Amino acid sequence: MPLIDLANPTRFLGFVGRLVPWLTAVTIVLFAVGLYGAFFLAPDDYQQGATVKIMFIHVPCAWLSMFVYATMAASSLGTLVWRHPLADVSMKAAAPIGAVFTFVCLATGSLWGKPMWGTWWVWDARLTSVLVLFIMYLGLIALWQTIEDPIRGAKAVAVLTLVGAINLPIIKFSVDWWNTLHQPAAVFRLGGPTIDISMLWPLLVTALAATCLFVTLQLLAMKNEIKRRRLRTLRLIEASRPHAVAGTPVVGAAS
Amino acid sequence: MKPLAALFLREWRLSTRVGGGALMGALFFLIVVTVIPFGVGPDLKLLARIGPAILWIGALLATLLSLDRLFQADRDDGALDLLMMGETPLELVVVVKCLAHWAATGLPLVIAAPFLAVFMNLDPPAIGATVATLLVGTPALTFLGAIGAALTVSLRRGGLLSAILILPLTTPVLIFGVSATTAAVTEPTPFLAPFLILVALVLFSLVVGAIAAAQALRLSAN
Amino acid sequence: MRLAIESLSVERGGRLVIAGLTVAAKAGTALVVTGPNGAGKSTLIRTIAGLLPLAAGSIRLEGGDPELTVAEQCHYFGHQDGLKTALTVKENLAFWRDFYGRPALSVIEALEVVGLEHLSELPAAYLSAGQRRRLSFARLLISHRPIWLLDEPTSALDAGSEVRLIDCVNDHLVSGGLVIAATHAPLTFRARESLALGHVVAEASP
């Protein structure tokens, strides 16, 4: 199906209806395989022991927190440049999902940090920039919440989202630019991964599973948002429809 | 009681629905607390020492800045006139509006405080004390803030002016809130004495806030 | 029941808007206040509603509830609707019913009278200006208060709604109510007395 067909919200809803069951199944299978690999096949870290298992949740969530924001930034471009009817729906739907992934990333990081660094939280560049990302998600959600007309508000949110995208490279390279407590990149780096293959493959599978989870949730949230907007339109029509007053015969009602 | 219950429900609904901004206060709180370490540096020992004060100042600013629409929204659409014509005394209307505002805006601050305390590297006793003092003390900020909101109800840009007027009045609450928290952590100083003074301040500000705000609202209808 | 206004003076912004006004209105009649812009029509209405202080004189309701002030026995239907756009039509009305007490019509009955019952579950934000006006008027029907203060009651209403509003006012008069209405439009209330406010003499002489 050409992408342009999906611009039609009705076609999009049909597409979502067919795709979501498959995506859900794929997500479950990937999570099952990935977590089995993580907990039963991958070895414990020689320094960290079993604590390292947190990585298999923490790292996918961290990736997703940035990936979701990148999706929102791309959708913002879609809103501002191409005025794609689904772009601002996608932008609005992604924000709460991204906020949850970021929150899980921060929370698991905190749980991991306590045994490793002896503290729940440090103000180093990586942690702080992710916290800023979390606040930006919440700010965008708050902005959506105050807007009554979603189509008018979309442009304002799109501009803010694009400005906030500056934070993404800062998060990615914070561990290289500043001397931080957080460990540097181990998977996506020049010169190949520094992580052992027995840990790497479950990590990649769980990351893929989390991505599928995001796509599933995103499609469902977009479906809800489209229906919410239709409801709004229906209500506006209902309110402006001439109403037959009780006791007054409506002319032409019988014909 | 029925008019007051109806008013509470209405205020609660208004602040939790679209455009109500109930969680905006908590978000502002989060941001204020987050930017402090950018200024003072990431020294965890220092942050642990000033943490309770930062949380209290954050809660103070978040409460005062979220109050600007407390009466203004009702004045703009004429509902304030109608509220004043009810058989319920305006003082009680003010108290109920403050309580509903606190439940929707102040309580989330208290709930968010333990999470923010982790950022400030507070240890569990200090977190407990901060949450307890905030839970008891933030209503006082709302009641005092209501005076400012009522005084500036007819002004277009009243929010900042209201904060300027009310911040000096909130200093006793801040002082005893923070000193109760520090007393809970440092061993010999007693916790109960400043805590009870804080409770007294809350009751005092309830009475003063209700009377002063109601009087200011009556004058503003002029 | 009789509303007696005696040598009433009201000041606004240092200017005497109403000076020494004496007028009375009996139950069952509508006192229609007319006059050019700035003559003090809205000021008079707001003063009776207790929203403006009296500079001199008195406003008394003879035969009313001695426990209540005059304002607490008045419904005020002014220029502003007092509606919350985030609440539904029903919630808006139910709040005023619970807040004012003394229930008269039920919320749904009142909405039927103003022709909005099919929109009762919609947020008030979706209503047009005329619909908001009608919803605001329904407030007068849900709790019982003997005096209705109407300030330009038919503004933003179409002809059909205006007729229905006048019917409601007439029903209120028949049941022994008292109406004070400030208006430019000629309204066909069943028993009406007129009060023409002009510019206050005290203001004209320097």
Side-chain angles (χ1 to χ4, degrees):
Chain A
M1 189 188 316
L3 197 63
I4 193 74
D5 281 359
L6 293 177
N8 179 327
T10 311
R11 290 231 183 97
F12 177 79
L13 287 183
F15 170 73
V16 169
R18 268 173 284 131
L19 197 61
V20 160
W22 293 101
L23 266 173
T24 314
V26 170
T27 307
I28 293 171
V29 169
L30 282 176
F31 262 121
V33 171
L35 291 177
Y36 181 80
F39 282 94
F40 297 104
L41 302 180
D44 286 352
D45 189 270
Y46 77 99
Q47 277 179 328
Q48 307 189 2
T51 322
V52 77
K53 306 290 186 206
I54 295 175
M55 176 180 78
F56 296 102
I57 300 295
H58 176 71
V59 173
C61 283
W63 283 342
L64 258 294
S65 69
M66 290 172 29
F67 181 73
V68 175
Y69 200 93
T71 308
M72 278 167 55
S75 304
S76 305
L77 277 180
T79 301
L80 290 176
V81 181
W82 297 291
R83 295 164 204 281
H84 194 284
L86 286 173
D88 57 311
V89 173
S90 153
M91 203 164 63
K92 186 172 181 183
I97 305 174
V100 170
F101 275 119
T102 315
F103 180 79
V104 174
C105 166
L106 286 169
T108 52
S110 183
L111 290 175
W112 198 1
K114 184 66 182 170
M116 289 303 111
W117 306 332
T119 171
W120 298 106
W121 182 263
V122 285
W123 290 94
D124 90 354
R126 170 59 71 83
L127 278 73
T128 308
S129 52
V130 174
L131 180 63
V132 169
L133 179 69
F134 180 60
I135 293 175
M136 279 186 336
Y137 274 122
L138 294 184
L140 289 170
I141 295 171
L143 186 55
W144 277 118
Q145 286 293 313
T146 52
I147 291 168
E148 277 193 40
D149 182 351
I151 293 153
R152 207 163 38 97
K155 293 214 172 93
V157 183
V159 172
L160 184 64
T161 311
L162 282 176
V163 173
I166 298 166
N167 194 24
L168 291 186
I170 295 180
I171 296 176
K172 171 68 187 155
F173 296 112
S174 57
V175 282
D176 303 328
W177 292 347
W178 291 283
N179 186 14
T180 64
L181 205 49
H182 195 283
Q183 66 155 3
V187 180
F188 296 117
R189 59 186 287 279
L190 294 172
T194 56
I195 180 172
D196 188 80
I197 187 73
S198 62
M199 281 192 187
L200 180 61
W201 78 261
L203 181 60
L204 290 177
V205 173
T206 44
L208 193 59
T211 312
C212 284
L213 177 66
F214 160 62
V215 175
T216 315
L217 292 175
Q218 170 75 355
L219 290 177
L220 288 173
M222 284 174 74
K223 184 174 106 178
N224 286 346
E225 179 60 22
I226 290 170
K227 292 196 167 166
R228 215 174 282 133
R229 290 185 183 189
R230 285 191 175 169
L231 180 66
R232 186 184 139 81
T233 314
L234 286 176
R235 282 173 150 184
L236 279 171
I237 293 169
E238 174 69 17
S240 60
R241 197 165 54 90
H243 172 60
V245 180
T248 322
V250 180
V251 180
S255 61
Chain B
M1 281 316 280
K2 200 175 176 189
L4 298 181
L7 182 63
F8 187 92
L9 187 65
R10 166 190 190 253
E11 295 294 317
W12 172 263
R13 280 177 176 154
L14 285 175
S15 51
T16 49
R17 286 189 188 169
V18 173
L23 292 176
M24 219 73 96
L27 197 50
F28 184 80
F29 186 37
L30 170 63
I31 288 165
V32 168
V33 172
T34 310
V35 295
I36 300 280
F38 291 120
V40 302
D43 180 356
L44 288 180
K45 281 207 186 73
L46 176 68
L47 287 177
R49 204 170 70 237
I50 62 174
I54 291 172
L55 289 174
W56 257 94
I57 291 172
L60 173 66
L61 294 179
T63 306
L64 288 190
L65 290 181
S66 67
L67 277 168
D68 60 333
R69 297 290 289 165
L70 183 64
F71 301 114
Q72 205 171 39
D74 278 331
R75 186 189 153 90
D76 288 352
D77 60 22
L80 188 60
D81 289 341
L82 303 173
L83 287 173
M84 286 165 59
M85 290 175 68
E87 290 171 36
T88 315
L90 194 54
E91 286 78 7
L92 281 181
V93 171
V94 170
V95 170
V96 171
K97 278 182 83 81
C98 287
L99 287 177
H101 184 274
W102 181 79
T105 312
L107 202 53
L109 298 185
V110 179
I111 295 168
F115 298 96
L116 300 184
V118 171
F119 292 140
M120 292 288 121
N121 194 35
L122 297 188
D123 29 312
I127 294 178
T130 310
V131 173
T133 50
L134 281 176
L135 181 65
V136 170
T138 42
L141 304 177
T142 309
F143 290 127
L144 291 173
I147 305 175
L151 283 171
T152 56
V153 68
S154 53
L155 306 179
R156 272 276 146 250
R157 312 277 317 261
L160 204 52
L161 178 61
S162 167
I164 292 169
L165 297 175
I166 296 306
L167 268 171
L169 300 182
T170 57
T171 41
V173 182
L174 187 62
I175 289 170
F176 285 100
V178 175
S179 64
T181 314
T182 13
V185 206
T186 46
E187 216 22 85
T189 33
F191 167 74
L192 202 59
F195 188 74
L196 288 181
I197 295 178
L198 184 65
V199 174
L201 282 172
V202 174
L203 298 175
F204 179 72
S205 58
L206 187 154
V207 176
V208 171
I211 294 173
Q215 200 52 40
L217 287 177
R218 285 197 189 96
L219 292 174
S220 78
N222 215 326
Chain C
M1 198 165 50
R2 181 171 174 275
L3 183 74
I5 298 172
E6 274 166 27
S7 47
L8 174 75
S9 297
V10 184
E11 239 183 47
R12 296 200 77 176
R15 193 173 74 98
L16 212 54
V17 180
I18 297 174
L21 176 73
T22 299
V23 68
K26 289 195 305 292
T29 58
L31 181 67
V32 178
V33 186
T34 55
N37 288 335
K41 300 190 297 293
S42 296
T43 304
L44 177 63
I45 299 268
R46 285 182 69 81
T47 309
I48 301 172
L51 300 170
L52 296 178
L54 283 62
S58 68
I59 302 173
R60 280 177 299 112
L61 184 63
E62 295 160 2
D65 190 333
E67 302 267 300
L68 301 177
T69 64
V70 175
E72 285 166 0
Q73 301 175 67
C74 291
H75 267 307
Y76 174 54
F77 182 56
H79 298 284
Q80 292 172 306
D81 298 327
L83 299 177
K84 295 296 172 190
T85 51
L87 300 182
T88 67
V89 167
K90 210 179 181 175
E91 284 168 347
N92 264 298
L93 213 46
F95 164 69
W96 289 113
R97 182 186 165 89
D98 292 339
F99 187 76
Y100 276 167
R102 304 177 193 279
L105 292 188
S106 77
V107 169
I108 287 300
E109 284 166 349
L111 286 176
E112 276 169 11
V113 172
V114 296
L116 290 175
E117 77 279 11
H118 63 302
L119 304 177
S120 64
E121 301 294 341
L122 280 195
Y126 293 97
L127 301 188
S128 69
Q131 286 169 329
R132 287 181 196 203
R133 202 87 188 116
R134 274 145 63 194
L135 174 56
S136 183
F137 185 77
R139 191 183 68 238
L140 277 59
L141 307 171
I142 50 168
S143 23
H144 181 75
R145 290 190 164 200
I147 306 174
W148 285 10
L149 304 171
L150 313 176
D151 197 352
E152 298 290 354
T154 54
S155 67
L157 291 184
D158 56 23
S161 309
E162 186 176 325
V163 168
R164 252 182 294 165
L165 182 138
I166 290 173
D167 284 346
C168 288
V169 172
N170 283 335
D171 288 347
H172 180 64
L173 292 173
V174 169
S175 64
L178 199 159
V179 172
I180 297 175
T183 179
H184 287 293
L187 299 175
T188 53
F189 297 137
R190 58 180 282 281
R192 51 179 288 175
E193 286 173 29
S194 294
L195 169 67
L197 289 180
H199 282 285
V200 176
V201 186
E203 182 217 13
S205 57

